[in-house]
Amino acid sequence: ENAPAYENIIVDTPRPGVGLVTLNRPKALNALNSPLFKELNAALANFQSDASIGAIVITGSNRAFAAGADIKEMASKTFSEAYNADFLATWSQLTTITKPIIAAVNGFALGGGCELALMTDIIYAGPKAVFGQPEIKLGVIPGAGGSQRLTKLVGKSRAMEAVLTGRNIDVEEAEKWGITAKRFDTPEGCVEGALDTAELIAGYSKIAVKAAKEVVNVSEETSLAEGVRFERRVFHGLFATQDQKIGMKAFVEKVKPEWKHE
Ligand code: CAA
């Protein structure tokens, strides 16, 4: 099988069951242009359909996770062009991936880079990670979900301040706000930590992992009562899987479960 040739990303499977995408436009601090996002979507779709992959990590360089949408690419866009092409809509494809995605953020995660991180399931950060929605400084606003996801994540006052000032949010603050799940002492540690977690997740029943991601995501969209009802129905549904029998039997017998992923 020929691996697809990518120019703006590097795709790898560094651990059992783990797909890694490294954003790779170093000269532009990984600014997210259309070719890059097309490749990212293709790589994610490949991991999604690859039965051996259980979790995915997205990272950038030590200097930049991604410094935003590519300003040079969009500077001359007209309203009609943006509207007709539904500019940035394809970025949301990431949210249709049902396998867990971890962002390992080092350096700048600004604008679209911050929004990309916020679209993933778990954010890990290195010591120099910087988050922010600086679009206001360019005469625009976040366009890839930042105003919505950041607000849900950190609350209105903090999100409003971030979006209206465009200021940088350093890793200490991001951690305090709950943007990051974990902070690491080195950039390499951050990526390795994300790979460790991805490998751990990839070792579980893929059907249970899929259900777990699905129910947590429903909490973002629905009321508590509806969400709890949905969770319980999905929980009930897992009793129809072999992996539930395998997992619980293995616990009782004190052995390691051999998942069938069905
Ligand atoms: N788009 C295009 N090019 C970018 C870029 C971006 N978002 N961010 C950085 N670059 C380019 C720079 O133009 C520069 O290229 P040249 O060498 O050709 O001049 C190169 O990357 C290195 O950047 P700097 O010289 O600026 O590096 P620095 O260390 O001095 O500053 C920075 C780093 C503070 C991140 C600065 O680059 C910066 O402010 N970048 C823009 C951040 C931004 O505004 N992002 C939001 C974009 S809008 C958006 O994302 C919309 C949305 O909601 C989807």
Side-chain angles (χ1 to χ4, degrees), residues 122-144:
I122 300 170
I123 301 177
Y124 280 1
K128 299 232 170 79
V130 175
F131 298 85
Q133 298 293 159
E135 290 88 347
I136 197 78
K137 298 179 190 170
L138 300 168
V140 290
I141 63 169

Side-chain angles (χ1 to χ4, degrees), residues 17-245:
V18 177
L20 172 66
V21 180
T22 305
L23 308 177
N24 189 33
R25 289 187 73 207
K27 284 191 194 119
L29 301 183
N30 292 331
L32 304 164
N33 62 6
S34 314
L36 184 151
F37 236 96
K38 218 171 158 181
E39 292 182 5
L40 176 60
N41 282 334
L44 293 175
N46 285 339
F47 285 145
Q48 172 74 16
S49 61
D50 182 340
S52 74
I53 295 294
I56 299 160
V57 174
I58 301 177
T59 194
S61 68
N62 289 357
R63 193 160 166 234
F65 178 73
D70 192 318
I71 299 167
K72 290 164 190 168
E73 184 185 61
M74 68 185 156
S76 64
K77 231 179 241 311
T78 65
F79 166 77
S80 326
E81 283 164 1
Y83 184 62
N84 278 329
D86 203 1
F87 180 50
L88 300 186
T90 57
W91 289 26
S92 299
Q93 278 178 37
L94 192 144
T95 63
T96 67
I97 302 296
T98 61
K99 297 178 182 179
I101 305 178
I102 305 172
V105 175
N106 287 301
F108 298 111
L110 298 177
C114 186
E115 292 169 301
L116 170 59
L118 293 173
M119 277 191 272
T120 69
D121 301 308
I122 300 170
I123 301 177
Y124 280 1
K128 299 232 170 79
V130 175
F131 298 85
Q133 298 293 159
E135 290 88 347
I136 197 78
K137 298 179 190 170
L138 300 168
V140 290
I141 63 169
S147 66
Q148 307 302 298
R149 290 196 179 90
L150 190 63
T151 306
K152 282 196 197 302
L153 189 59
V154 306
K156 178 176 153 180
S157 182
R158 286 166 169 169
M160 196 64 99
E161 193 226 17
V163 169
L164 290 177
T165 65
R167 74 175 175 88
N168 286 347
I169 294 144
D170 67 21
V171 69
E172 282 81 18
E173 204 168 12
E175 192 171 39
K176 204 170 92 192
W177 285 10
I179 292 174
T180 61
K182 222 180 241 182
R183 172 156 56 121
F184 295 81
D185 294 338
T186 64
E188 296 76 19
C190 172
V191 177
E192 289 304 310
L195 293 174
D196 288 344
T197 299
E199 188 177 348
L200 176 71
I201 294 168
Y204 293 132
S205 161
K206 290 190 173 63
I207 203 156
V209 166
K210 180 175 179 173
K213 171 164 169 167
E214 186 178 6
V215 296
V216 172
N217 275 335
V218 161
S219 75
E220 300 268 289
E221 310 276 356
T222 195
S223 72
L224 180 60
E226 279 303 316
V228 169
R229 200 201 327 267
F230 180 74
E231 179 201 67
R232 202 161 58 236
R233 287 290 171 264
V234 174
F235 174 73
H236 295 159
L238 291 174
F239 285 82
T241 66
Q242 294 190 49
D243 281 351
Q244 174 269 327
K245 297 290 175 292

